[in-house]
CSV table of all heavy atoms in Angstrom, one decimal:
chain,number,residue,atom,x,y,z
S,27,MET,N,-5.5,167.4,-110.8
S,27,MET,CA,-5.8,166.1,-110.2
S,27,MET,C,-5.9,165.2,-111.4
S,27,MET,O,-6.3,165.4,-112.4
S,27,MET,CB,-7.2,166.2,-109.6
S,27,MET,CG,-7.7,164.8,-109.1
S,27,MET,SD,-9.4,164.8,-108.3
S,27,MET,CE,-9.9,166.4,-108.0
S,28,SER,N,-5.4,164.0,-111.0
S,28,SER,CA,-5.3,163.0,-112.0
S,28,SER,C,-6.7,162.4,-112.4
S,28,SER,O,-7.7,162.5,-111.6
S,28,SER,CB,-4.4,161.8,-111.5
S,28,SER,OG,-5.2,161.1,-110.5
S,29,LYS,N,-6.8,162.0,-113.7
S,29,LYS,CA,-8.0,161.4,-114.2
S,29,LYS,C,-8.5,160.2,-113.3
S,29,LYS,O,-9.7,160.1,-113.0
S,29,LYS,CB,-7.9,161.1,-115.6
S,29,LYS,CG,-9.2,160.7,-116.3
S,29,LYS,CD,-9.0,160.6,-117.8
S,29,LYS,CE,-10.4,160.1,-118.5
S,29,LYS,NZ,-10.2,160.0,-119.9
S,30,LYS,N,-7.6,159.5,-112.9
S,30,LYS,CA,-7.8,158.2,-112.1
S,30,LYS,C,-8.4,158.7,-110.7
S,30,LYS,O,-9.5,158.1,-110.3
S,30,LYS,CB,-6.5,157.5,-111.9
S,30,LYS,CG,-6.6,156.2,-111.2
S,30,LYS,CD,-5.3,155.5,-111.1
S,30,LYS,CE,-5.4,154.2,-110.5
S,30,LYS,NZ,-4.1,153.5,-110.3
S,31,ALA,N,-7.8,159.6,-110.1
S,31,ALA,CA,-8.4,160.2,-108.8
S,31,ALA,C,-9.8,160.7,-109.0
S,31,ALA,O,-10.7,160.4,-108.2
S,31,ALA,CB,-7.5,161.2,-108.1
S,32,ALA,N,-10.0,161.5,-110.1
S,32,ALA,CA,-11.3,162.1,-110.4
S,32,ALA,C,-12.4,161.0,-110.5
S,32,ALA,O,-13.6,161.1,-109.9
S,32,ALA,CB,-11.2,163.0,-111.6
S,33,GLU,N,-12.1,160.0,-111.3
S,33,GLU,CA,-13.0,158.9,-111.4
S,33,GLU,C,-13.5,158.1,-110.1
S,33,GLU,O,-14.5,157.9,-109.9
S,33,GLU,CB,-12.5,157.9,-112.5
S,33,GLU,CG,-12.5,158.2,-113.9
S,33,GLU,CD,-14.0,158.7,-114.2
S,33,GLU,OE1,-14.9,157.9,-114.0
S,33,GLU,OE2,-14.1,159.8,-114.8
S,34,HIS,N,-12.5,158.0,-109.3
S,34,HIS,CA,-12.7,157.4,-108.0
S,34,HIS,C,-13.6,158.2,-107.1
S,34,HIS,O,-14.4,157.8,-106.4
S,34,HIS,CB,-11.3,157.0,-107.2
S,34,HIS,CG,-10.7,155.8,-107.8
S,34,HIS,ND1,-11.4,154.5,-107.7
S,34,HIS,CD2,-9.5,155.5,-108.3
S,34,HIS,CE1,-10.6,153.6,-108.2
S,34,HIS,NE2,-9.5,154.1,-108.6
S,35,HIS,N,-13.4,159.6,-107.1
S,35,HIS,CA,-14.2,160.5,-106.5
S,35,HIS,C,-15.6,160.5,-107.0
S,35,HIS,O,-16.6,160.4,-106.1
S,35,HIS,CB,-13.6,161.9,-106.6
S,35,HIS,CG,-12.5,162.3,-105.7
S,35,HIS,ND1,-12.4,162.1,-104.4
S,35,HIS,CD2,-11.3,162.8,-106.2
S,35,HIS,CE1,-11.2,162.4,-103.9
S,35,HIS,NE2,-10.4,162.8,-105.0
S,36,LYS,N,-15.7,160.4,-108.2
S,36,LYS,CA,-17.2,160.3,-108.8
S,36,LYS,C,-17.8,159.0,-108.3
S,36,LYS,O,-19.0,158.9,-108.0
S,36,LYS,CB,-17.1,160.3,-110.4
S,36,LYS,CG,-16.7,161.7,-110.9
S,36,LYS,CD,-16.6,161.7,-112.4
S,36,LYS,CE,-16.1,162.9,-113.0
S,36,LYS,NZ,-15.9,162.9,-114.4
S,37,LYS,N,-17.1,157.9,-108.4
S,37,LYS,CA,-17.7,156.6,-108.0
S,37,LYS,C,-18.0,156.6,-106.5
S,37,LYS,O,-19.0,156.1,-106.1
S,37,LYS,CB,-16.7,155.4,-108.4
S,37,LYS,CG,-16.6,155.1,-109.7
S,37,LYS,CD,-17.8,154.6,-110.3
S,37,LYS,CE,-17.6,154.3,-111.8
S,37,LYS,NZ,-18.7,153.8,-112.4
S,38,SER,N,-17.2,157.3,-105.7
S,38,SER,CA,-17.4,157.3,-104.3
S,38,SER,C,-18.8,158.1,-104.0
S,38,SER,O,-19.5,157.7,-103.2
S,38,SER,CB,-16.3,158.0,-103.5
S,38,SER,OG,-16.5,158.1,-102.2
S,39,ALA,N,-18.9,159.2,-104.7
S,39,ALA,CA,-20.1,160.0,-104.6
S,39,ALA,C,-21.3,159.3,-105.0
S,39,ALA,O,-22.4,159.3,-104.4
S,39,ALA,CB,-20.0,161.4,-105.4
S,40,GLU,N,-21.2,158.5,-106.1
S,40,GLU,CA,-22.4,157.7,-106.6
S,40,GLU,C,-22.8,156.7,-105.6
S,40,GLU,O,-24.0,156.4,-105.3
S,40,GLU,CB,-22.0,156.9,-107.9
S,40,GLU,CG,-21.9,157.8,-109.1
S,40,GLU,CD,-21.4,157.2,-110.4
S,40,GLU,OE1,-21.4,155.9,-110.3
S,40,GLU,OE2,-21.0,157.8,-111.3
S,41,HIS,N,-21.7,156.0,-104.9
S,41,HIS,CA,-22.1,155.0,-104.0
S,41,HIS,C,-22.7,155.6,-102.7
S,41,HIS,O,-23.6,155.1,-102.0
S,41,HIS,CB,-20.9,154.2,-103.5
S,41,HIS,CG,-20.6,153.1,-104.6
S,41,HIS,ND1,-21.4,152.0,-104.9
S,41,HIS,CD2,-19.6,153.1,-105.5
S,41,HIS,CE1,-20.8,151.3,-106.0
S,41,HIS,NE2,-19.7,151.9,-106.3
S,42,HIS,N,-22.3,156.8,-102.3
S,42,HIS,CA,-22.9,157.6,-101.2
S,42,HIS,C,-24.4,157.9,-101.5
S,42,HIS,O,-25.2,157.6,-100.7
S,42,HIS,CB,-22.2,158.9,-100.9
S,42,HIS,CG,-21.1,158.8,-100.1
S,42,HIS,ND1,-21.1,158.3,-98.7
S,42,HIS,CD2,-19.7,159.1,-100.2
S,42,HIS,CE1,-19.9,158.3,-98.2
S,42,HIS,NE2,-19.0,158.8,-99.1
S,43,THR,N,-24.6,158.2,-102.7
S,43,THR,CA,-26.1,158.5,-103.2
S,43,THR,C,-26.9,157.2,-103.1
S,43,THR,O,-28.1,157.3,-102.6
S,43,THR,CB,-26.0,159.0,-104.6
S,43,THR,OG1,-25.2,160.3,-104.6
S,43,THR,CG2,-27.5,159.2,-105.0
S,44,HIS,N,-26.3,156.0,-103.6
S,44,HIS,CA,-27.1,154.9,-103.5
S,44,HIS,C,-27.3,154.4,-102.0
S,44,HIS,O,-28.3,154.0,-101.6
S,44,HIS,CB,-26.5,153.7,-104.2
S,44,HIS,CG,-26.4,153.9,-105.8
S,44,HIS,ND1,-27.6,154.1,-106.4
S,44,HIS,CD2,-25.3,154.0,-106.6
S,44,HIS,CE1,-27.2,154.2,-107.7
S,44,HIS,NE2,-25.9,154.2,-107.8
S,45,ALA,N,-26.4,154.6,-101.2
S,45,ALA,CA,-26.4,154.2,-99.7
S,45,ALA,C,-27.6,155.1,-99.1
S,45,ALA,O,-28.4,154.5,-98.3
S,45,ALA,CB,-25.1,154.5,-99.1
S,46,ALA,N,-27.5,156.3,-99.4
S,46,ALA,CA,-28.5,157.3,-98.8
S,46,ALA,C,-30.0,156.8,-99.2
S,46,ALA,O,-30.9,156.8,-98.4
S,46,ALA,CB,-28.3,158.7,-99.2
S,47,ARG,N,-30.1,156.5,-100.6
S,47,ARG,CA,-31.4,156.0,-101.0
S,47,ARG,C,-31.9,154.8,-100.2
S,47,ARG,O,-33.0,154.6,-99.8
S,47,ARG,CB,-31.3,155.7,-102.5
S,47,ARG,CG,-32.6,155.5,-103.1
S,47,ARG,CD,-32.6,155.4,-104.7
S,47,ARG,NE,-31.8,156.5,-105.2
S,47,ARG,CZ,-30.7,156.4,-106.1
S,47,ARG,NH1,-30.4,155.3,-106.6
S,47,ARG,NH2,-30.2,157.5,-106.7
S,48,HIS,N,-31.0,153.9,-100.1
S,48,HIS,CA,-31.3,152.6,-99.3
S,48,HIS,C,-31.6,152.8,-97.8
S,48,HIS,O,-32.5,152.2,-97.3
S,48,HIS,CB,-30.2,151.6,-99.5
S,48,HIS,CG,-30.3,150.9,-100.8
S,48,HIS,ND1,-31.3,150.0,-101.1
S,48,HIS,CD2,-29.5,151.0,-101.9
S,48,HIS,CE1,-31.1,149.5,-102.5
S,48,HIS,NE2,-30.0,150.2,-102.9
S,49,HIS,N,-30.8,153.8,-97.3
S,49,HIS,CA,-31.2,154.2,-95.9
S,49,HIS,C,-32.6,154.8,-95.7
S,49,HIS,O,-33.3,154.4,-94.8
S,49,HIS,CB,-30.1,155.1,-95.3
S,49,HIS,CG,-28.8,154.6,-94.8
S,49,HIS,ND1,-28.9,153.6,-93.8
S,49,HIS,CD2,-27.6,154.8,-95.3
S,49,HIS,CE1,-27.5,153.3,-93.7
S,49,HIS,NE2,-26.8,154.0,-94.4
S,50,THR,N,-32.9,155.5,-96.7
S,50,THR,CA,-34.3,156.1,-96.7
S,50,THR,C,-35.3,155.0,-96.9
S,50,THR,O,-36.4,155.0,-96.1
S,50,THR,CB,-34.4,157.1,-97.8
S,50,THR,OG1,-33.5,158.2,-97.7
S,50,THR,CG2,-35.9,157.7,-97.9
S,51,GLU,N,-35.1,154.1,-97.8
S,51,GLU,CA,-36.0,152.9,-97.9
S,51,GLU,C,-36.1,152.1,-96.6
S,51,GLU,O,-37.2,151.6,-96.2
S,51,GLU,CB,-35.6,152.1,-99.1
S,51,GLU,CG,-35.9,152.7,-100.4
S,51,GLU,CD,-37.4,152.9,-100.6
S,51,GLU,OE1,-38.2,152.0,-100.5
S,51,GLU,OE2,-37.8,154.0,-100.9
S,52,ALA,N,-34.9,151.9,-96.0
S,52,ALA,CA,-34.9,151.0,-94.8
S,52,ALA,C,-35.8,151.7,-93.6
S,52,ALA,O,-36.6,151.1,-93.0
S,52,ALA,CB,-33.5,150.9,-94.3
S,53,ALA,N,-35.6,153.0,-93.6
S,53,ALA,CA,-36.4,153.9,-92.6
S,53,ALA,C,-37.9,153.7,-92.9
S,53,ALA,O,-38.7,153.4,-92.0
S,53,ALA,CB,-36.1,155.2,-92.6
S,54,LYS,N,-38.3,153.8,-94.1
S,54,LYS,CA,-39.7,153.8,-94.5
S,54,LYS,C,-40.2,152.3,-94.2
S,54,LYS,O,-41.3,152.2,-93.5
S,54,LYS,CB,-39.9,154.0,-96.0
S,54,LYS,CG,-41.2,154.0,-96.5
S,54,LYS,CD,-41.3,154.3,-98.0
S,54,LYS,CE,-40.9,153.1,-98.8
S,54,LYS,NZ,-41.1,153.2,-100.3
S,55,HIS,N,-39.5,151.3,-94.5
S,55,HIS,CA,-40.0,149.9,-94.2
S,55,HIS,C,-40.0,149.7,-92.7
S,55,HIS,O,-40.9,148.9,-92.2
S,55,HIS,CB,-39.1,148.9,-95.0
S,55,HIS,CG,-39.3,148.8,-96.4
S,55,HIS,ND1,-40.6,148.7,-97.0
S,55,HIS,CD2,-38.5,149.1,-97.4
S,55,HIS,CE1,-40.5,148.7,-98.3
S,55,HIS,NE2,-39.2,149.1,-98.6
S,56,HIS,N,-39.0,150.2,-92.0
S,56,HIS,CA,-39.0,149.9,-90.5
S,56,HIS,C,-40.3,150.6,-89.9
S,56,HIS,O,-40.8,150.0,-89.1
S,56,HIS,CB,-37.7,150.5,-90.0
S,56,HIS,CG,-37.5,150.1,-88.5
S,56,HIS,ND1,-37.1,148.8,-88.2
S,56,HIS,CD2,-37.7,150.8,-87.4
S,56,HIS,CE1,-37.1,148.8,-86.9
S,56,HIS,NE2,-37.4,150.0,-86.3
S,57,GLU,N,-40.5,151.8,-90.4
S,57,GLU,CA,-41.7,152.5,-89.8
S,57,GLU,C,-43.0,151.8,-90.1
S,57,GLU,O,-44.0,151.9,-89.4
S,57,GLU,CB,-41.8,154.0,-90.3
S,57,GLU,CG,-40.7,154.9,-89.7
S,57,GLU,CD,-40.6,156.2,-90.4
S,57,GLU,OE1,-41.2,156.5,-91.5
S,57,GLU,OE2,-40.0,157.1,-89.9
S,58,GLY,N,-43.0,151.2,-91.3
S,58,GLY,CA,-44.2,150.4,-91.8
S,58,GLY,C,-44.3,149.0,-91.1
S,58,GLY,O,-45.3,148.2,-91.4
S,59,GLY,N,-43.3,148.7,-90.2
S,59,GLY,CA,-43.3,147.3,-89.6
S,59,GLY,C,-42.8,146.2,-90.5
S,59,GLY,O,-42.9,145.1,-90.2
S,60,HIS,N,-42.2,146.6,-91.6
S,60,HIS,CA,-41.6,145.5,-92.6
S,60,HIS,C,-40.2,145.4,-92.2
S,60,HIS,O,-39.3,145.9,-93.1
S,60,HIS,CB,-41.9,145.9,-94.0
S,60,HIS,CG,-43.4,146.2,-94.3
S,60,HIS,ND1,-44.2,145.2,-94.6
S,60,HIS,CD2,-44.1,147.4,-94.5
S,60,HIS,CE1,-45.6,145.7,-94.8
S,60,HIS,NE2,-45.4,147.0,-94.7
S,61,HIS,N,-39.9,144.7,-91.2
S,61,HIS,CA,-38.5,144.7,-90.7
S,61,HIS,C,-37.6,143.8,-91.6
S,61,HIS,O,-36.4,144.2,-91.6
S,61,HIS,CB,-38.6,144.1,-89.2
S,61,HIS,CG,-39.4,144.9,-88.4
S,61,HIS,ND1,-38.9,146.2,-88.0
S,61,HIS,CD2,-40.5,144.7,-87.7
S,61,HIS,CE1,-39.8,146.7,-87.2
S,61,HIS,NE2,-40.8,145.8,-87.0
S,62,GLU,N,-38.1,142.8,-92.3
S,62,GLU,CA,-37.3,142.1,-93.1
S,62,GLU,C,-36.8,142.9,-94.4
S,62,GLU,O,-35.6,143.0,-94.7
S,62,GLU,CB,-37.9,140.8,-93.6
S,62,GLU,CG,-37.0,139.8,-94.4
S,62,GLU,CD,-37.6,138.6,-94.7
S,62,GLU,OE1,-38.4,138.0,-93.9
S,62,GLU,OE2,-37.4,138.1,-95.9
S,63,LYS,N,-37.8,143.7,-94.9
S,63,LYS,CA,-37.4,144.6,-96.0
S,63,LYS,C,-36.5,145.7,-95.5
S,63,LYS,O,-35.5,146.1,-96.2
S,63,LYS,CB,-38.6,145.3,-96.6
S,63,LYS,CG,-39.5,144.2,-97.5
S,63,LYS,CD,-40.7,145.0,-98.0
S,63,LYS,CE,-41.6,144.0,-98.8
S,63,LYS,NZ,-42.8,144.7,-99.3
S,64,ALA,N,-36.8,146.2,-94.3
S,64,ALA,CA,-35.9,147.2,-93.7
S,64,ALA,C,-34.4,146.6,-93.6
S,64,ALA,O,-33.5,147.4,-93.9
S,64,ALA,CB,-36.4,147.7,-92.4
S,65,ALA,N,-34.3,145.4,-93.1
S,65,ALA,CA,-32.9,144.9,-92.9
S,65,ALA,C,-32.2,144.7,-94.2
S,65,ALA,O,-31.0,145.0,-94.3
S,65,ALA,CB,-33.1,143.5,-92.2
S,66,HIS,N,-33.0,144.4,-95.3
S,66,HIS,CA,-32.4,144.1,-96.6
S,66,HIS,C,-31.8,145.5,-97.1
S,66,HIS,O,-30.7,145.6,-97.5
S,66,HIS,CB,-33.5,143.7,-97.6
S,66,HIS,CG,-32.9,143.8,-99.0
S,66,HIS,ND1,-32.1,142.8,-99.6
S,66,HIS,CD2,-33.4,144.7,-100.0
S,66,HIS,CE1,-31.9,143.2,-100.8
S,66,HIS,NE2,-32.6,144.3,-101.1
S,67,HIS,N,-32.5,146.6,-97.0
S,67,HIS,CA,-32.2,147.9,-97.4
S,67,HIS,C,-31.0,148.3,-96.5
S,67,HIS,O,-30.1,149.0,-97.1
S,67,HIS,CB,-33.3,148.9,-97.4
S,67,HIS,CG,-34.2,148.7,-98.6
S,67,HIS,ND1,-33.9,149.1,-99.9
S,67,HIS,CD2,-35.4,148.1,-98.7
S,67,HIS,CE1,-34.8,148.7,-100.7
S,67,HIS,NE2,-35.8,148.3,-100.0
S,68,ALA,N,-31.0,148.1,-95.3
S,68,ALA,CA,-29.9,148.5,-94.4
S,68,ALA,C,-28.6,147.9,-94.7
S,68,ALA,O,-27.5,148.4,-94.8
S,68,ALA,CB,-30.3,148.3,-93.0
S,69,HIS,N,-28.7,146.5,-95.1
S,69,HIS,CA,-27.6,145.8,-95.5
S,69,HIS,C,-27.0,146.3,-96.8
S,69,HIS,O,-25.8,146.5,-97.0
S,69,HIS,CB,-28.0,144.4,-95.6
S,69,HIS,CG,-26.8,143.4,-96.0
S,69,HIS,ND1,-25.8,143.0,-95.1
S,69,HIS,CD2,-26.6,143.0,-97.2
S,69,HIS,CE1,-25.0,142.3,-95.8
S,69,HIS,NE2,-25.4,142.2,-97.1
S,70,THR,N,-27.9,146.5,-97.7
S,70,THR,CA,-27.4,147.1,-99.1
S,70,THR,C,-26.8,148.5,-98.9
S,70,THR,O,-25.9,148.8,-99.6
S,70,THR,CB,-28.6,147.2,-100.0
S,70,THR,OG1,-29.2,145.8,-100.1
S,70,THR,CG2,-28.3,147.6,-101.4
S,71,ALA,N,-27.4,149.3,-98.0
S,71,ALA,CA,-26.9,150.7,-97.8
S,71,ALA,C,-25.5,150.5,-97.2
S,71,ALA,O,-24.5,151.2,-97.7
S,71,ALA,CB,-27.7,151.5,-96.8
S,72,ARG,N,-25.2,149.5,-96.3
S,72,ARG,CA,-23.9,149.4,-95.7
S,72,ARG,C,-22.9,149.0,-96.8
S,72,ARG,O,-21.7,149.4,-96.9
S,72,ARG,CB,-23.9,148.3,-94.7
S,72,ARG,CG,-22.6,148.1,-94.0
S,72,ARG,CD,-22.8,147.2,-92.8
S,72,ARG,NE,-21.5,147.0,-92.1
S,72,ARG,CZ,-20.5,146.2,-92.4
S,72,ARG,NH1,-20.8,145.4,-93.4
S,72,ARG,NH2,-19.3,146.1,-91.8
S,73,ALA,N,-23.4,148.1,-97.7
S,73,ALA,CA,-22.5,147.6,-98.8
S,73,ALA,C,-22.1,148.8,-99.6
S,73,ALA,O,-20.9,148.9,-100.1
S,73,ALA,CB,-23.1,146.5,-99.5
S,74,HIS,N,-23.0,149.7,-100.0
S,74,HIS,CA,-22.6,150.9,-100.8
S,74,HIS,C,-21.8,151.8,-100.1
S,74,HIS,O,-20.7,152.4,-100.7
S,74,HIS,CB,-24.0,151.6,-101.3
S,74,HIS,CG,-24.6,150.9,-102.4
S,74,HIS,ND1,-24.1,151.0,-103.7
S,74,HIS,CD2,-25.8,150.4,-102.5
S,74,HIS,CE1,-25.0,150.4,-104.4
S,74,HIS,NE2,-26.0,150.1,-103.8
S,75,ALA,N,-21.9,151.9,-98.7
S,75,ALA,CA,-21.0,152.8,-98.1
S,75,ALA,C,-19.6,152.2,-98.0
S,75,ALA,O,-18.6,153.0,-98.1
S,75,ALA,CB,-21.6,153.0,-96.5
S,76,LEU,N,-19.5,151.0,-97.9
S,76,LEU,CA,-18.2,150.3,-97.9
S,76,LEU,C,-17.4,150.4,-99.2
S,76,LEU,O,-16.3,150.8,-99.4
S,76,LEU,CB,-18.3,148.8,-97.5
S,76,LEU,CG,-18.6,148.6,-96.0
S,76,LEU,CD1,-19.0,147.1,-95.8
S,76,LEU,CD2,-17.5,149.0,-95.2
S,77,HIS,N,-18.2,150.3,-100.3
S,77,HIS,CA,-17.8,150.4,-101.6
S,77,HIS,C,-17.3,152.0,-101.9
S,77,HIS,O,-16.3,152.2,-102.5
S,77,HIS,CB,-18.8,150.0,-102.7
S,77,HIS,CG,-18.2,149.7,-103.9
S,77,HIS,ND1,-18.9,148.9,-104.8
S,77,HIS,CD2,-17.0,149.9,-104.5
S,77,HIS,CE1,-18.1,148.7,-106.0
S,77,HIS,NE2,-17.0,149.3,-105.7
S,78,SER,N,-18.1,152.9,-101.3
S,78,SER,CA,-17.7,154.3,-101.4
S,78,SER,C,-16.4,154.5,-100.7
S,78,SER,O,-15.5,155.3,-101.3
S,78,SER,CB,-18.8,155.2,-100.8
S,78,SER,OG,-18.5,156.5,-100.7
S,79,ARG,N,-16.2,153.9,-99.5
S,79,ARG,CA,-15.0,154.1,-98.8
S,79,ARG,C,-13.8,153.6,-99.7
S,79,ARG,O,-12.7,154.2,-99.7
S,79,ARG,CB,-15.0,153.4,-97.5
S,79,ARG,CG,-13.8,153.6,-96.6
S,79,ARG,CD,-13.9,153.1,-95.3
S,79,ARG,NE,-12.6,153.3,-94.6
S,79,ARG,CZ,-12.4,153.0,-93.3
S,79,ARG,NH1,-13.4,152.5,-92.7
S,79,ARG,NH2,-11.3,153.3,-92.8
S,80,HIS,N,-14.0,152.4,-100.3
S,80,HIS,CA,-12.9,151.9,-101.1
S,80,HIS,C,-12.5,152.8,-102.2
S,80,HIS,O,-11.4,153.1,-102.5
S,80,HIS,CB,-13.4,150.6,-101.8
S,80,HIS,CG,-12.5,150.1,-102.9
S,80,HIS,ND1,-11.3,149.4,-102.7
S,80,HIS,CD2,-12.8,150.1,-104.2
S,80,HIS,CE1,-10.8,149.1,-103.8
S,80,HIS,NE2,-11.6,149.5,-104.8
S,81,HIS,N,-13.6,153.5,-102.9
S,81,HIS,CA,-13.2,154.4,-103.9
S,81,HIS,C,-12.5,155.6,-103.3
S,81,HIS,O,-11.6,156.3,-104.0
S,81,HIS,CB,-14.5,154.8,-104.6
S,81,HIS,CG,-14.9,153.8,-105.7
S,81,HIS,ND1,-14.1,153.5,-106.8
S,81,HIS,CD2,-16.0,153.0,-105.7
S,81,HIS,CE1,-14.7,152.6,-107.5
S,81,HIS,NE2,-15.8,152.2,-106.9
S,82,SER,N,-12.9,156.1,-102.2
S,82,SER,CA,-12.2,157.2,-101.5
S,82,SER,C,-10.7,156.9,-101.2
S,82,SER,O,-9.8,157.8,-101.4
S,82,SER,CB,-12.8,157.6,-100.2
S,82,SER,OG,-14.2,158.0,-100.5
S,83,GLU,N,-10.5,155.6,-100.7
S,83,GLU,CA,-9.1,155.2,-100.5
S,83,GLU,C,-8.3,155.2,-101.8
S,83,GLU,O,-7.2,155.5,-101.9
S,83,GLU,CB,-9.1,153.9,-99.7
S,83,GLU,CG,-9.6,154.0,-98.4
S,83,GLU,CD,-9.8,152.7,-97.7
S,83,GLU,OE1,-9.7,151.6,-98.4
S,83,GLU,OE2,-10.2,152.7,-96.4
S,84,GLU,N,-8.9,154.6,-102.9
S,84,GLU,CA,-8.3,154.6,-104.1
S,84,GLU,C,-7.9,156.0,-104.7
S,84,GLU,O,-6.8,156.2,-105.3
S,84,GLU,CB,-9.1,153.8,-105.2
S,84,GLU,CG,-9.1,152.3,-104.9
S,84,GLU,CD,-7.8,151.6,-104.9
S,84,GLU,OE1,-7.0,151.8,-105.7
S,84,GLU,OE2,-7.5,150.9,-103.9
S,85,ALA,N,-8.8,156.9,-104.5
S,85,ALA,CA,-8.6,158.3,-104.9
S,85,ALA,C,-7.4,158.8,-104.1
S,85,ALA,O,-6.6,159.5,-104.8
S,85,ALA,CB,-9.8,159.1,-104.6
S,86,ALA,N,-7.3,158.6,-102.8
S,86,ALA,CA,-6.2,159.1,-102.0
S,86,ALA,C,-4.9,158.5,-102.5
S,86,ALA,O,-3.8,159.2,-102.7
S,86,ALA,CB,-6.4,158.7,-100.6
S,87,LYS,N,-4.9,157.2,-102.9
S,87,LYS,CA,-3.7,156.5,-103.5
S,87,LYS,C,-3.3,157.2,-104.8
S,87,LYS,O,-2.1,157.5,-105.1
S,87,LYS,CB,-3.9,155.0,-103.7
S,87,LYS,CG,-4.0,154.3,-102.5
S,87,LYS,CD,-4.2,152.7,-102.8
S,87,LYS,CE,-4.6,151.9,-101.6
S,87,LYS,NZ,-5.0,150.5,-102.1
S,88,ALA,N,-4.3,157.5,-105.7
S,88,ALA,CA,-4.0,158.1,-106.9
S,88,ALA,C,-3.4,159.5,-106.7
S,88,ALA,O,-2.6,159.9,-107.4
S,88,ALA,CB,-5.3,158.3,-107.8
S,89,HIS,N,-4.0,160.3,-105.7
S,89,HIS,CA,-3.4,161.6,-105.4
S,89,HIS,C,-1.9,161.4,-105.0
S,89,HIS,O,-1.0,162.2,-105.5
S,89,HIS,CB,-4.2,162.3,-104.2
S,89,HIS,CG,-5.4,162.8,-104.7
S,89,HIS,ND1,-5.5,163.8,-105.5
S,89,HIS,CD2,-6.7,162.6,-104.3
S,89,HIS,CE1,-6.8,164.2,-105.7
S,89,HIS,NE2,-7.5,163.4,-104.9
S,90,ALA,N,-1.5,160.4,-104.1
S,90,ALA,CA,-0.2,160.3,-103.6
S,90,ALA,C,0.7,159.9,-104.8
S,90,ALA,O,1.8,160.3,-104.9
S,90,ALA,CB,-0.2,159.1,-102.6
S,91,GLU,N,0.2,159.0,-105.7
S,91,GLU,CA,1.0,158.6,-106.9
S,91,GLU,C,1.3,159.9,-107.7
S,91,GLU,O,2.4,159.9,-108.1
S,91,GLU,CB,0.3,157.6,-107.6
S,91,GLU,CG,0.3,156.2,-107.0
S,91,GLU,CD,-0.7,155.2,-107.7
S,91,GLU,OE1,-1.1,155.6,-108.8
S,91,GLU,OE2,-0.9,154.1,-107.2
S,92,GLU,N,0.2,160.6,-107.9
S,92,GLU,CA,0.4,161.8,-108.8
S,92,GLU,C,1.4,162.7,-108.2
S,92,GLU,O,2.4,163.4,-108.8
S,92,GLU,CB,-0.9,162.5,-109.0
S,92,GLU,CG,-0.9,163.7,-109.9
S,92,GLU,CD,-0.7,163.3,-111.4
S,92,GLU,OE1,-1.0,162.0,-111.8
S,92,GLU,OE2,-0.3,164.1,-112.2
S,93,HIS,N,1.4,163.0,-106.8
S,93,HIS,CA,2.2,163.9,-106.2
S,93,HIS,C,3.6,163.4,-106.1
S,93,HIS,O,4.6,164.2,-106.2
S,93,HIS,CB,1.7,164.1,-104.7
S,93,HIS,CG,2.5,165.1,-103.8
S,93,HIS,ND1,2.5,166.4,-104.2
S,93,HIS,CD2,3.3,164.9,-102.8
S,93,HIS,CE1,3.3,167.0,-103.4
S,93,HIS,NE2,3.8,166.1,-102.5
S,94,GLY,N,3.8,162.2,-106.0
S,94,GLY,CA,5.1,161.5,-106.0
S,94,GLY,C,5.8,161.6,-107.3
S,94,GLY,O,7.1,161.5,-107.4
S,95,LYS,N,5.2,161.8,-108.4
S,95,LYS,CA,5.8,161.9,-109.7
S,95,LYS,C,6.5,163.2,-109.9
S,95,LYS,O,7.4,163.3,-110.7
S,95,LYS,CB,4.7,161.7,-110.8
S,95,LYS,CG,4.2,160.3,-110.9
S,95,LYS,CD,3.2,160.2,-112.0
S,95,LYS,CE,2.6,158.8,-112.1
S,95,LYS,NZ,1.5,158.6,-113.1
S,96,LYS,N,6.1,164.3,-109.2
S,96,LYS,CA,6.6,165.6,-109.5
S,96,LYS,C,7.9,165.7,-108.8
S,96,LYS,O,8.4,165.1,-108.0
S,96,LYS,CB,5.6,166.7,-108.8
S,96,LYS,CG,4.4,166.7,-109.6
S,96,LYS,CD,3.4,167.6,-109.2
S,96,LYS,CE,2.2,167.7,-110.0
S,96,LYS,NZ,1.2,168.6,-109.5
């Protein structure tokens, strides 16, 4: 696997981890009735999930580029 693809996979995993953490915080705040804080964390979680998807797509492109070179 190319180094470029590996880095994108790592970044994708990191963003998934951050998204999960924010989803947990959103749930906690929602249960506590702090809906504004919950919304903030939910929005941040979504942003991390989107960024993770971007890195996944870039990893796929890097795989395709690497495969195309052979």
